[in-house]
Amino acid sequence: MLRNGPTRSLTRSLLRSPTVSSQYTSTIGRSHAKLQPKPLARTPQSQLWRPSSLVTNPYKQSRTALHRYASTHPGNPFDHIDKKHEKDVAKTAIEPHPEDVSTLSSVRQVMHEEGVEDKERDVDMLAGVKADLKTIRETFAMSEVPREALVLGMAGVLPYLATSISTVYLAWDINHAALTGSGFLLSGQTAELLLHIIEPLQIGYGAVILSFLGAIHWGLEWAKYGGKHGYPRYAIGVVAPAIAWPTTLLPVEYALIAQFLAFNYLYFADARATRRGWAPHWYTTYRFALTFIVGASIVISLIGRGQIADKINRLPGPADRIKALRDSQMESLEAEEKERRAKLVSQEDDEDAE
């Protein structure tokens, strides 16, 4: 631990005599003869206890060093002060070195060297942000995805995104017509009519995409990609349309929320299938990009529709039509029952009259 250069020099300085000023050294040397102690009576050698064999006497070393310096340097030339040289030095201007000045130059540690970069303090504060941006860039790069699948997949989600953007614009036009009395490009009635046409198109197209994503697993099973797995892989293809198509019977808001959850569930199922080797290794990244676009489109549609929830009339959906059909059937049955009872009453009256 103490084998390097700085620590060796520090150890030697501790073992040597304490450092004193030159003036103090010369004074001690000149007055040493006056302070010489009187000789004591000699004590027998057997009665002496020598602690020098156990510890070092620092006062003895210091006195010996002062004796040696006073005997070898008579006159002590270091006591002389060259006042002329000091005046010349005082008149000399100090050369500035701004490159050596920093916020840490006055608190530099003793063992540090000037001009050496302190790697411990050189910390990149944006390292975490850069790592996150790199991860996002690598995720959306999709360099390993086949070009045909990438082009057709992105083209497939464009209609879904277009319906969402159209919903937002029509909602804004309806609000504009409600505030000013006229729409920006379309009238309020026309914008509302187009909105009622676009909404079922978006929900129906979402059901088609969900069914297609489930059918991919049937194709992988038939191609025996990653081996034959039977019902577990077929089940993914069955569950997808079973969840997708009932959403067409729900109101618009509930249908969009249900499809949003269905897309996320299928992404989770595809990620597990990829991890198990049932799908290509690039399929998870590919599905993430498509699911991100579709999920963002659904959120945009919900935001746009939420702005006009109290300004438009809701058109009857499939569930409303089924309920209306059931009510009409009940009404027809009640009417038939009334006619039948009326006939029976009239027949009884005729029989009584006869």
Side-chain angles (χ1 to χ4, degrees):
M1 182 177 68
L2 300 175
R3 293 179 179 272
N4 53 0
T7 54
R8 285 184 178 179
S9 61
L10 184 60
T11 306
R12 294 194 192 101
S13 63
L14 292 175
L15 294 177
R16 291 177 182 173
S17 60
T19 305
V20 295
S21 63
S22 57
Q23 184 176 359
Y24 177 77
T25 304
S26 60
T27 305
I28 294 298
R30 289 192 297 268
S31 60
H32 181 267
K34 298 180 181 180
L35 299 177
Q36 188 70 19
K38 296 181 180 180
L40 300 175
R42 181 178 297 276
T43 306
Q45 188 74 16
S46 59
Q47 298 180 6
L48 291 177
W49 178 64
R50 298 179 178 276
S52 59
S53 60
L54 301 177
V55 297
T56 304
N57 190 349
Y59 176 72
K60 182 178 180 180
Q61 292 181 0
S62 175
R63 187 175 61 181
T64 304
L66 292 174
H67 284 313
R68 187 182 300 112
Y69 183 84
S71 60
T72 56
H73 295 79
N76 194 3
F78 297 102
D79 288 341
H80 177 67
I81 299 176
D82 192 353
K83 297 183 178 181
K84 182 179 178 181
H85 178 67
E86 288 187 353
K87 291 181 179 180
D88 295 339
V89 173
K91 295 178 180 179
T92 305
I94 299 176
E95 297 181 359
H97 296 282
E99 66 277 2
D100 296 335
V101 179
S102 65
T103 57
L104 302 176
S105 59
S106 60
V107 293
R108 190 180 300 277
Q109 299 182 12
V110 177
M111 306 303 292
H112 283 202
E113 297 183 9
E114 184 179 359
V116 178
E117 182 180 2
D118 191 356
K119 296 182 179 180
E120 296 182 357
R121 296 183 180 273
D122 188 13
V123 179
D124 189 1
M125 302 302 294
L126 299 177
V129 178
K130 292 179 180 178
D132 294 339
L133 293 176
K134 182 180 179 182
T135 302
I136 295 173
R137 185 170 58 253
E138 291 177 353
T139 300
F140 286 95
M142 294 185 291
S143 57
E144 298 181 353
V145 180
R147 182 174 180 80
E148 296 82 1
L150 180 60
V151 172
L152 293 177
M154 291 299 176
V157 297
L158 287 180
Y160 205 88
L161 181 61
T163 56
S164 298
I165 297 175
S166 300
T167 300
V168 173
Y169 171 73
L170 292 174
W172 177 82
D173 219 351
I174 292 172
N175 278 328
H176 189 272
L179 293 175
T180 61
S182 62
F184 183 73
L185 293 177
L186 304 172
S187 63
Q189 295 79 7
T190 305
E192 183 177 350
L193 179 61
L194 290 177
L195 182 63
H196 289 314
I197 294 174
I198 289 175
E199 287 172 347
L201 288 177
Q202 184 177 11
I203 295 172
Y205 192 69
V208 171
I209 295 176
L210 288 170
S211 302
F212 178 78
L213 293 175
I216 290 176
H217 292 276
W218 282 52
L220 294 173
E221 180 65 22
W222 290 343
K224 298 179 181 180
Y225 188 92
K228 295 183 65 176
H229 302 282
Y231 289 110
R233 186 145 61 174
Y234 282 124
I236 301 175
V238 173
V239 171
I243 296 175
W245 287 104
T247 59
T248 58
L249 303 176
L250 300 175
V252 178
E253 294 84 356
Y254 297 106
L256 290 175
I257 294 172
Q259 288 190 1
F260 180 83
L261 297 176
F263 277 111
N264 284 276
Y265 163 75
L266 272 182
Y267 170 72
F268 174 73
D270 291 340
R272 290 190 62 186
T274 304
R275 188 169 61 252
R276 292 178 179 179
W278 296 2
H281 64 279
W282 48 264
Y283 189 61
T284 302
T285 305
Y286 177 66
R287 283 282 290 108
F288 175 79
L290 299 181
T291 304
F292 179 81
I293 296 174
V294 172
S297 301
I298 293 175
V299 173
I300 292 172
S301 296
L302 290 173
I303 293 174
R305 183 164 180 83
Q307 301 297 322
I308 55 172
D310 57 340
K311 296 182 177 65
I312 60 174
N313 298 320
R314 189 175 68 87
L315 291 180
D320 297 329
R321 294 189 179 95
I322 293 174
K323 183 177 181 300
L325 178 61
R326 185 173 67 246
D327 293 341
S328 64
Q329 289 176 350
M330 293 296 296
E331 291 176 358
S332 63
L333 290 174
E334 290 177 357
E336 291 177 0
E337 182 67 19
K338 288 180 179 180
E339 291 179 0
R340 188 177 64 82
R341 289 182 179 181
K343 289 180 180 181
L344 290 175
V345 171
S346 62
Q347 289 178 0
E348 290 178 357
D349 293 339
D350 293 339
E351 293 177 356
D352 294 339
E354 293 177 356

